[in-house]
Amino acid sequence: LLILSGMSRPPSNMGYTCWVQRGGAWSAWGPLKPDASGLAMFVMDNVMDPHAASMLAITLEPMDRTVTTPTHPMLLSTSL
């Protein structure tokens, strides 16, 4: 479970994406959608293994196309 607070509403056609890095490669875990109070939660499913990840990051990405690696600066990142 990932919980973030203080997130602003993203610009239209943009959205927050949660990424993890494993073995040097990034993969998108999914979107983060903040509510009106700026709170966003992401629940991992059974196939996601955070123990195998070395980093976690949040970026703001275009929603009109599929991205396979972060294309915008990381708004938040941490080592795991």
Side-chain angles (χ1 to χ4, degrees):
L1 177 64
L2 174 67
I3 300 173
L4 298 170
S5 64
M7 298 181 74
S8 60
R9 182 182 172 138
S12 63
N13 84 327
M14 300 290 282
Y16 294 104
T17 301
C18 178
W19 299 90
V20 292
Q21 187 179 56
R22 291 185 206 145
W26 288 102
S27 61
W29 263 8
L32 286 166
K33 297 180 181 179
D35 63 15
S37 72
L39 184 69
M41 291 191 297
F42 182 78
V43 179
M44 293 173 248
D45 64 25
N46 292 346
V47 295
M48 297 175 171
D49 182 7
H51 304 288
S54 59
M55 288 193 74
L56 180 134
I58 307 298
T59 61
L60 196 55
E61 299 291 343
M63 296 283 92
D64 59 350
R65 60 190 157 114
T66 301
V67 292
T68 57
T69 60
T71 61
H72 285 76
M74 293 176 187
L75 304 174
L76 175 139
S77 66
T78 188
S79 297
L80 298 175

